[in-house]
Each structure stands twice: as structure tokens, then as C-alpha cells.
Amino acid sequence: MPKPPSSESVEQSGAFRAFIAQKGLRATRQRMAVFEAARSIQGHYTAEDLMKKARALDRSVSRATIYRAIPLLIGSSIVREVDVGRDHKYYLAEAGSATFRAQLICESCETIVEVEAPFMEWYGKAVAAKHGMRPISQKLQVTALCERCQKRKTARL
Ligand SMILES: [Zn+2]
């Protein structure tokens, strides 16, 4: 038996539909499949991953649908874009927390770990204020080697 949707997902689907309508667009079956896919993937994913998942839900979802739906998902705070300076961007289900997030990125396997870093937000504000500036955005990304990749490297030596 399918699980009844949680109140959170009903709320988010409402927010997504409202955002689409505000843009003068329709909540088509394909767009809703992309929405469902975006909500169901755990952790960070690429547009390609999202396309595979959305196509499993609705085979008529095209690549263009994905690329047009992503800004709608971001605009309605369903997902967050994570740019780690690679050719492709990563996406992550928005946790609804306003806490500043930092990313640890494994250089070798591209595993991304999100950590809450409220002190960084405070630091950015404090430093900017000292120079009479108001921060608009900031990010903290640490390039690292995950435990698995460290072991693999040691084994090869
Ligand atoms: Zn790794």
C-alpha cells in the first residue's frame, strides 16, 4: 500500500504549484514528476541524477523539462543549488533551516558532506560590518579526502 504523503510534502507541493502559477506556468504532469523526484533523492544529486529519477516516474520527462524545472524548484525553496566549482552543479533538498551551511567535498570521489556552520555566518557579518559592508552571500567549502579515499590512497603506496 502506498504511504500517505506527509504533511510536509503536501505543503511543499502546494508551495511549488503556487510558485509555478505565479510564473504563469501550469503544474504539468512532467513538472510534478520532477518535483516528486527532487523530493525523493537523498543527499546531493546532479541534473542527470534528477532526470533518471524523474523519468522513472514519468517517461515523458525531457531533458528540457529538467533544466526548466530546476530554477522553479530553487525559486520555490524546494531544493538548493550547491556549486562546488565543478562542470556540473549539485542539488540538495532544502532542509528548511536558515542556518548557514558549509560543505566538505572529497576531491577524489566528490562525496559532499553538509555541515551547519552558524559561526561562519556570524564571522562574515562581523568582518563585513567592520568595513561598513553588508554581506549578501558567503560560502565555505573545504576540499578534503574522505576516509574511504584516504584508505585507498594508502593501500596503493
Ligand atoms: Zn572520497
Side-chain angles (χ1 to χ4, degrees):
M1 219 170 69
K3 212 167 50 164
S6 70
S7 65
E8 186 212 22
S9 87
V10 169
E11 207 175 284
Q12 285 213 324
S13 132
F16 186 57
R17 283 171 190 277
F19 187 81
I20 289 176
Q22 195 193 309
K23 295 265 164 199
L25 300 168
R26 285 184 308 121
T28 58
R29 211 180 65 212
Q30 290 82 3
R31 285 191 183 119
M32 292 317 287
V34 180
F35 165 81
E36 292 300 335
R39 289 300 302 158
S40 68
I41 310 175
Q42 295 287 313
H44 297 79
Y45 54 85
T46 61
E48 275 314 293
D49 300 332
L50 183 61
M51 187 167 72
K52 271 184 214 144
K53 190 83 185 182
R55 277 197 177 152
L57 297 170
D58 186 329
R59 285 184 50 191
S60 65
V61 171
S62 67
R63 189 173 294 268
T65 309
I66 296 291
Y67 284 96
R68 285 188 209 127
I70 287 173
L72 299 173
L73 290 165
I74 296 169
S76 54
S77 303
I78 308 295
V79 304
R80 188 153 52 84
E81 188 177 84
V82 178
D83 187 349
V84 298
R86 303 287 155 96
D87 327 336
H88 50 262
K89 302 238 164 62
Y90 285 95
Y91 303 95
L92 180 71
E94 185 62 274
S97 141
T99 313
F100 183 79
R101 301 291 178 96
Q103 287 93 33
L104 289 162
I105 307 127
C106 176
E107 185 182 52
S108 179
C109 68
E110 293 196 17
T111 292
I112 305 172
V113 177
E114 294 258 330
V115 291
E116 292 200 347
F119 58 91
M120 270 308 297
E121 189 174 11
W122 169 82
Y123 182 75
K125 278 184 188 156
V127 169
K130 223 175 184 174
H131 295 273
M133 295 170 102
R134 187 174 57 87
I136 293 164
S137 78
Q138 66 171 338
K139 60 181 178 184
L140 172 66
Q141 291 178 346
V142 179
T143 305
L145 265 184
C146 76
E147 223 172 325
R148 216 181 42 185
C149 292
Q150 285 176 48
K151 280 188 189 139
R152 215 182 297 151
K153 289 222 161 151
T154 323
R156 240 185 273 144
L157 291 177

